[in-house]
Amino acid sequence: MTATTTEAATTAPALPRKTLGLAMIGLAVAMTLLHYVGLLPAWLHRLPEAIIPPFATWLDAIFNFVKDDLGLLALTRLLTDGLEVVLDATANLLFGKRRWPNIGPIPWSAIAAMAAVVGYYLGGWRMALLAGGTFVWTAMIGQWDIAMQTMSVLVVAAPLAFVIGLVLGITAWKSPSFDAVLRPVLAVLQTLPFFTYLLPAVIFFKVGPTAGAVATTVYAIPPMILMTTLGLQKVSPEVVEAGKMSGCTRWQMLRHVYIPAARTEILVGVNQVIMLCLAMVVLTAFIGMPGLGAKLLAMMGSFKIGRSFEIGVTIVLLAVTLDRMSKAWVVKLPEHFERGTPFWIRHKFLLMAIGAFVGFTLIAQFVPILSEVGRKQSWSQGKEIDTLIKNFLAIDLVQSITNSIRYVLNIWVLNPLRDFMLSIPTVAFVLLVSAAALLVAGRREAVLAAVFFGLVALTGWWDRSVITLYSVLAAVSIALLLGVPIGIVAARKEKTANAVLLACDTAQTFPSFIYLIPAIMLFGITATSVVMSILIFSMVPLVRYTIEGLRNVPDEMTEAADMSGATRMQKLWNVQLPLALPTMAVGFNQAIMFAFFMVIIAAFIGTQDLGQELQRTLAGTDLGKNFVLGICVTLMALTFDMVIMKWADDKKARLGLN
Amino acid sequence: MGSPVISARNVWKIFGKDPVGYLKTLQPGRSFEDIRADGYIAGVRDVSLDVARGEMLVIMGLSGSGKSTLVRCFSRLHEITGGSIEVDGQIIGDLSEKDLIELRRNKMGMVFQSFGLLPHRTVLDNVAFPLEMRGQDRHTRRKRALEVIELVGLAGREDYFPRELSGGQQQRVGIARSLAIEPDIWFLDEPFSALDPLIRREMQDEFLRLQAMLGKTIVFITHDFDEALRLADRIAIMKDGAVEQCDTPDQIVMNPTTDYVAKFTEEIDKARVVHAGVLARAGVAGEGQPVEAGATVQQLARLLVNDSRDLIPVADKGQVIGALDRQGALDILLKAS
């Protein structure tokens, strides 16, 4: 009864919204048709160059003022020096760069052994095997040095991001006004394409590991801030009052009550920081940061699929290990020892780790292979895999399948869609987006959508923006067609659902760069690969949230449907899907965000969109242009994010789900 | 009884946009609903109360009646909107942050409904927490914490973490923590409400045992009228933020002043609550063997039925203080009003 009345209450004022939205669509369609018959004035089709403001020049002026006149560059160069010392130290320890403290490199076997002990402490034998195995694999496949180049930045960037994120998170939680300023900034930062992180890092922090570390740190901070704030807000009021009644000062409250009580969320933040750092540190290859990413980029560029594949496996193993270990840390709770437990039992893991480390370091002095795996000794099978894959791709059946997929996609789907989207007049396009926002979300969202897309038009990068958007929409649509049915089928049985969810969880931890490998493997360096890599990448959240949504439908509702005599299909369409829709929308939103991220990376394959231009700016010092391009991507992504999330929230509220 | 330990005068606590400004313009006599219509919630409405030293005051009310808010005003976990509260002669609203912390560190203990234990600390470290906060050294606080843990019957569980304990045991930790600093004033906010009925009864007995030993000044909150009757020296019944009646259990049962209070007492077996001492009329002398003033009517049931005297003398500590009307007492026993 209450449900119907609230429904009526919300639909009543929504009626003019609907008419207005349809009118806007009608107007846009009319303009497009006019353009087709050649009656639309040119200035309505594309904004004339004359009225496009030189945003890039303005931004450059501002940057130069901040950089030189305000002395920001001097400050960052100072920071660079400090950071360089730390990075050199980790580089020395991990792969023997000739810098202070000149004691490295640590033998790989010692690191692998210690990782295994930490794994054992966090998650038993299986985790020990995973952690130890990852490092053994890395060494034996002959990638130890490049992997350690990557790790040497990671071990600096992740703690830095953690500390900065924690401090900012605490500040945001303490001060609502700071929080109000921070939130929109975080929203922008989280949708900003990674190229836009890279160029300023290079300009302000010197090419190489320092810039890589800075870009990585900045990139990983936002989720840490959000998780910290969330965790602190969630601390139970009674625990807080208990702290106050115990006579805590403000500092004691924070140190002894709030932060320990928010432990879980803070550690989830740590997990996210580590995973984002890994994803980004691989991508810093684009600004010349050596390591796994650079090697992968080079190998893919020269189509050495075998080596690319091996590096991919290393990155994936590292990602899975770091993810599983940090997640195991989240759920690891302290256990008590009985009174009188001796010292070596209380601290057995610490002693084991020290023992393993010292032991292997000593043994490695006499057994060289435990200290360094030489070029000839490695197990790399790059060439053999290359031949294998080339032979596989040369099989007629395989070739005809990939070729026909490429043909159908390009000729029937992708090119027509792109041409159609480009043919819509700019003003009509903005109208359409705004109308869609109005119909799906609401007035506020419609206005913002119009403003955001209007700004994109004003930057003068309209065509490239539309091409970017087209790649995203095309890939996500196909992903939707494939991912949702997979999710529905998988959700039917508890067992398959769990297996697929685990696969999705694991796939989500892979750095995005990895997704290019299978696409390039099958389709070479072509436009199809771009769509394919986005497709695979964005399918993961779609499948995942479809399953989650279906599984979280309350039992009593499916039971009620069963008892009403619904067939499986009736139950799916009338009960499960409608209730799962808000959750699925969240997955859809994430798929779009992932797609925007991936489409930029794919620039490296050769696209005509914003990513391509962005990648070009990296070669120079065009900070203004870099930002304008980045903001274009952000504005489009934010529009989707805002509209979809608003719809999902409204829907959830109307369905009375939490 | 001496001077009151806690003395509240016309205390208001209003939640909303500008509570202080709103209270200034508030017309007297506006009800809870009127205030809510203005966009404010009256947590506490014009409450004046005294708590005497060594007394157990039970604040009773349904959820949302403002009882938890009121006790948080006493400890200044909430800042009050109007009125004044004195604790040991100090107006606590005027205390600096430092003085307030000192007051809490030395004089106040509080027990919470869902325990409010710190999940990352062992039983011992939870109990020692207030001592640690006031800077006592490890050895002293460990010694004191072990004492209180022993007192609440948790000896041997010092190294457990809260999640390893049952609800009743967790609340024992909460009680031990609140007693660690040897507070003068002990606040208990529905301490047993989250527990199973059987455990609750056991904990109430335990609590009465502790109180008999320690003799603290107590403000105890509950929504359970039976619990209130069982424990209280005096009961304050709250509704919509205001105190409806504040009196001894006997008086509340015998003479409810408002309809709301009367409704509560309707279902109560008065014979278990009313004491002979209350029924005794001074200046009237009965004859024969006196009954104890501390006995309830129910405890005297057999005597009341079998005896033939109209007036039975009542004695408090051997001193006859008056006599009770047997017929009246029988009416209470037989639930005839």
Side-chain angles (χ1 to χ4, degrees):
Chain A
M1 205 47 207
T2 48
T4 51
T5 48
T6 50
E7 190 94 4
T10 45
T11 46
L15 205 71
R17 200 175 93 184
K18 201 169 170 185
T19 353
L20 184 62
L22 291 177
M24 283 160 72
I25 291 177
L27 186 62
V29 171
M31 277 167 79
T32 311
L33 290 176
L34 273 179
H35 170 66
Y36 287 164
V37 296
L39 290 175
L40 194 77
W43 60 269
L44 269 177
H45 179 237
R46 287 290 182 267
L47 297 184
E49 291 286 328
I51 68 157
I52 287 171
F55 283 121
T57 325
W58 294 347
L59 279 174
D60 268 334
I62 296 174
F63 283 134
N64 284 332
F65 175 72
V66 175
K67 193 174 82 175
D68 302 327
D69 298 322
L70 288 186
L72 186 62
L73 194 63
L75 176 72
T76 55
R77 290 286 153 145
L78 198 72
L79 289 176
T80 310
D81 292 341
L83 195 58
E84 206 157 25
V85 174
V86 182
L87 283 168
D88 279 340
T90 59
N92 173 261
L93 291 176
L94 290 174
F95 63 94
K97 192 175 177 189
R98 287 177 196 285
R99 287 290 192 284
W100 181 87
N102 282 321
I103 49 172
I106 300 167
W108 67 266
S109 52
I111 292 180
M114 215 162 62
V117 175
V118 175
Y120 183 58
Y121 166 68
L122 288 172
W125 280 112
R126 296 168 71 172
M127 196 75 81
L129 217 59
L130 176 69
T134 298
F135 285 96
V136 172
W137 154 277
T138 312
M140 295 317 285
I141 206 77
Q143 291 164 0
W144 187 257
D145 276 8
I146 50 170
M148 287 307 114
Q149 281 170 352
T150 300
M151 291 301 277
S152 73
V153 174
L154 188 77
V155 295
V156 176
L160 208 57
F162 167 73
V163 171
I164 299 175
L166 190 70
V167 171
L168 288 179
I170 292 170
T171 319
W173 161 73
K174 280 258 178 203
S175 145
S177 52
F178 181 68
D179 190 46
V181 177
L182 197 64
R183 268 179 195 275
V185 174
L186 289 182
V188 169
L189 279 183
Q190 285 191 311
T191 51
L192 212 56
F194 69 96
F195 279 131
T196 312
Y197 285 88
L198 295 181
L199 186 60
V202 170
I203 290 177
F204 286 105
F205 293 94
K206 231 161 117 181
V207 186
T210 40
V214 169
T216 305
T217 306
V218 174
Y219 185 68
I221 288 174
M224 188 67 221
I225 298 179
L226 293 176
M227 289 313 296
T228 306
T229 325
L230 180 74
L232 292 172
Q233 281 164 350
K234 263 175 62 179
V235 175
S236 116
E238 287 204 342
V239 170
V240 174
E241 288 175 338
K244 284 187 184 161
M245 289 307 290
S246 299
C248 290
T249 60
R250 285 169 195 223
W251 168 247
Q252 285 174 325
M253 277 305 282
L254 188 65
R255 164 81 183 71
H256 294 288
V257 178
Y258 277 110
I259 291 183
R263 175 184 181 276
T264 306
E265 282 78 14
I266 290 176
L267 286 183
V268 169
V270 169
N271 170 268
Q272 295 190 0
V273 162
I274 294 177
M275 299 326 289
L276 280 182
C277 277
L278 184 65
M280 189 62 176
V281 80
V282 172
L283 289 171
T284 51
F286 285 99
I287 49 168
M289 176 32 225
L292 288 167
K295 199 75 178 169
L296 181 58
L297 195 61
M299 290 298 146
M300 280 202 292
S302 50
F303 205 62
K304 285 186 180 152
I305 292 300
R307 288 297 300 279
S308 311
F309 181 73
E310 285 176 357
I311 298 172
V313 172
T314 307
I315 297 177
V316 163
L317 279 176
L318 274 178
V320 172
T321 304
L322 290 174
D323 179 58
R324 289 287 142 79
M325 296 217 318
S326 49
K327 274 189 187 147
W329 191 22
V330 175
V331 291
K332 179 108 190 149
L333 291 172
E335 271 167 53
H336 72 269
F337 292 100
E338 289 306 323
R339 202 89 67 76
T341 313
F343 171 81
W344 66 85
I345 293 185
R346 281 177 194 266
H347 300 279
K348 77 174 172 207
F349 290 106
L350 183 67
L351 293 174
M352 270 163 70
I354 295 172
F357 183 79
V358 174
F360 273 94
T361 310
L362 287 178
I363 298 171
Q365 305 305 317
F366 306 105
V367 189
I369 188 129
L370 287 180
S371 147
E372 207 175 341
V373 177
R375 207 173 234 282
K376 293 270 160 58
Q377 291 165 312
S378 79
W379 294 347
S380 171
Q381 302 289 318
K383 290 236 175 61
E384 288 74 4
I385 299 177
D386 272 353
T387 356
L388 205 72
I389 289 174
K390 277 190 189 128
N391 289 339
F392 173 73
L393 290 178
I395 301 171
D396 284 343
L397 182 69
V398 177
Q399 207 157 30
S400 65
I401 291 177
T402 54
N403 276 344
S404 51
I405 291 179
R406 199 183 306 171
Y407 180 82
V408 170
L409 266 183
N410 271 330
I411 306 298
W412 291 354
V413 184
L414 299 182
N415 291 348
L417 179 66
R418 186 190 62 203
D419 294 341
F420 168 67
M421 283 176 68
L422 281 172
S423 75
I424 302 173
T426 307
V427 178
F429 205 109
V430 176
L431 261 177
L432 276 177
V433 172
S434 175
L438 183 64
L439 291 177
V440 173
R443 280 165 203 281
R444 186 177 158 271
E445 284 72 18
V447 173
L448 280 174
V451 170
F452 285 1
F453 269 76
L455 274 173
V456 172
L458 276 178
T459 60
W461 293 103
W462 180 256
D463 281 1
R464 282 186 184 267
S465 300
V466 171
I467 295 177
T468 309
L469 191 60
Y470 129 80
S471 304
V472 167
L473 288 183
V476 173
S477 307
I478 305 174
L480 208 57
L481 289 177
L482 295 174
V484 172
I486 292 178
I488 291 175
V489 173
R492 266 201 210 156
K493 279 200 190 126
E494 190 68 23
K495 223 173 164 183
T496 46
N498 285 335
V500 175
L501 274 183
L502 182 68
C504 288
D505 275 348
T506 312
Q508 272 197 324
T509 64
F510 300 170
S512 36
F513 213 18
I514 294 299
Y515 288 85
L516 283 172
I517 300 175
I520 289 186
M521 243 170 167
L522 289 173
F523 298 97
I525 300 183
T526 62
T528 319
S529 290
V530 177
V531 174
M532 276 300 172
S533 54
I534 306 175
L535 176 79
I536 309 169
F537 191 43
S538 57
M539 207 153 92
V540 176
L542 281 172
V543 173
R544 192 201 149 122
Y545 279 92
T546 305
I547 298 179
E548 296 257 341
L550 288 174
R551 278 191 356 158
N552 290 342
V553 172
D555 279 343
E556 61 267 24
M557 296 198 191
T558 50
E559 279 163 8
D562 284 335
M563 292 313 288
S564 310
T567 64
R568 200 190 264 178
M569 276 315 243
Q570 284 174 322
K571 189 167 75 175
L572 180 68
W573 282 106
N574 296 310
V575 179
Q576 289 170 307
L577 279 182
L579 285 168
L581 222 48
T583 311
M584 287 165 71
V586 174
F588 178 63
N589 185 41
Q590 215 177 72
I592 293 208
M593 296 305 123
F594 280 23
F596 268 111
F597 189 83
M598 198 67 195
V599 73
I600 303 298
I601 301 180
F604 138 83
I605 304 181
T607 48
Q608 297 166 321
D609 58 8
L610 291 167
Q612 193 64 24
E613 280 295 325
L614 265 170
Q615 201 187 344
R616 257 180 235 159
T617 60
L618 286 188
T621 50
D622 249 346
L623 209 51
K625 184 177 160 194
N626 176 283
F627 258 83
V628 170
L629 293 165
I631 292 289
C632 280
V633 178
T634 297
L635 287 172
M636 291 193 291
L638 277 181
T639 310
F640 277 98
D641 183 57
M642 171 182 79
V643 171
I644 299 171
M645 292 318 280
K646 173 81 171 22
W647 182 85
D649 286 348
D650 283 356
K651 191 83 186 169
K652 246 184 216 163
R654 236 176 304 154
L655 289 172
L657 301 168
N658 45 29
Chain B
M1 276 215 177
S3 64
V5 179
I6 301 175
S7 171
R9 288 287 159 269
N10 307 97
V11 172
W12 283 85
K13 174 67 189 174
I14 297 175
F15 298 98
K17 244 195 211 146
D18 173 26
V20 178
Y22 177 72
L23 184 62
K24 272 187 194 133
T25 60
L26 190 69
Q27 304 293 324
R30 277 185 84 76
S31 73
F32 183 80
E33 267 73 30
D34 295 337
I35 295 174
R36 185 156 66 187
D38 295 337
Y40 289 87
I41 297 290
V44 174
R45 279 195 299 143
D46 201 14
V47 168
S48 300
L49 268 183
D50 284 332
V51 187
R53 190 165 301 282
E55 180 190 32
M56 174 152 20
L57 175 73
V58 174
I59 301 178
M60 216 288 304
L62 301 181
S63 59
S65 60
K67 54 194 191 304
S68 287
T69 312
L70 180 61
V71 80
R72 278 164 176 71
C73 292
F74 289 162
S75 56
R76 208 177 147 195
L77 285 169
H78 287 335
E79 298 290 341
I80 54 176
T81 317
S84 77
I85 295 175
E86 278 180 36
V87 172
D88 265 349
Q90 287 174 298
I91 296 180
I92 59 161
D94 296 345
L95 292 179
S96 67
E97 185 174 326
K98 196 166 153 280
D99 292 338
L100 180 65
I101 286 176
E102 278 308 306
L103 179 72
R104 287 176 181 162
R105 280 181 179 178
N106 298 311
K107 287 204 174 143
M108 290 177 171
M110 184 156 177
V111 181
F112 299 90
Q113 182 176 2
S114 7
F115 324 135
L117 300 180
L118 298 166
H120 58 289
R121 286 172 167 251
T122 59
V123 169
L124 183 73
D125 288 340
N126 258 297
V127 174
F129 185 68
L131 305 171
E132 187 184 333
M133 291 304 104
R134 70 181 185 194
Q136 272 171 307
D137 67 87
R138 185 178 288 271
H139 185 73
T140 333
R141 63 182 195 240
R142 186 185 161 84
K143 192 163 156 266
R144 171 66 188 154
L146 285 174
E147 264 172 44
V148 234
I149 290 171
E150 171 103 51
L151 186 70
V152 298
L154 277 181
R157 304 275 159 121
E158 301 84 21
D159 293 321
Y160 282 54
F161 285 93
R163 72 192 145 84
E164 298 173 312
L165 300 175
S166 70
Q169 287 172 328
Q170 290 190 39
Q171 193 56 296
R172 283 169 195 263
V173 179
I175 289 174
R177 175 178 63 189
S178 68
L179 290 177
I181 58 153
E182 297 178 66
D184 297 337
I185 309 166
W186 201 13
F187 298 111
L188 297 105
D189 181 12
E190 302 209 31
F192 310 136
S193 299
L195 306 176
D196 292 336
L198 279 180
I199 310 284
R200 192 183 309 163
R201 184 88 191 173
E202 187 189 314
M203 292 292 283
Q204 286 168 0
D205 291 337
E206 183 79 16
F207 172 71
L208 286 171
R209 177 182 73 88
L210 281 175
Q211 172 57 4
M213 256 159 65
L214 304 170
K216 307 266 180 212
T217 305
I218 293 177
V219 179
F220 189 109
I221 297 201
T222 181
H223 64 248
D224 179 351
F225 197 38
D226 287 322
E227 188 171 71
L229 292 172
R230 192 150 181 251
L231 304 176
D233 291 329
R234 274 192 310 150
I235 301 177
I237 294 182
M238 284 187 77
K239 178 183 178 248
D240 291 342
V243 172
E244 293 270 313
Q245 186 175 0
C246 180
D247 223 326
T248 61
D250 304 71
Q251 286 303 327
I252 284 194
V253 174
M254 303 264 291
N255 306 311
T257 49
T258 67
D259 292 345
Y260 184 74
V261 178
K263 238 189 202 155
F264 261 111
T265 56
E266 252 170 27
E267 295 298 313
I268 296 297
D269 184 2
K270 295 187 176 75
R272 298 165 73 113
V273 179
V274 178
H275 297 88
V278 178
L279 295 176
R281 276 181 289 151
V284 187
E287 46 193 51
Q289 191 70 20
V291 294
E292 267 303 313
T296 60
V297 172
Q298 197 193 33
Q299 283 161 349
L300 299 174
R302 190 175 294 274
L303 182 137
L304 288 172
V305 175
N306 292 342
D307 213 306
S308 56
R309 291 172 287 180
D310 284 335
L311 290 168
I312 304 175
V314 178
D316 191 9
K317 296 181 188 110
Q319 199 72 40
V320 175
I321 53 170
L324 63 78
D325 177 13
R326 189 173 73 95
Q327 218 53 46
L330 271 176
D331 282 348
I332 291 173
L333 189 64
L334 299 172
K335 296 190 184 113
S337 50

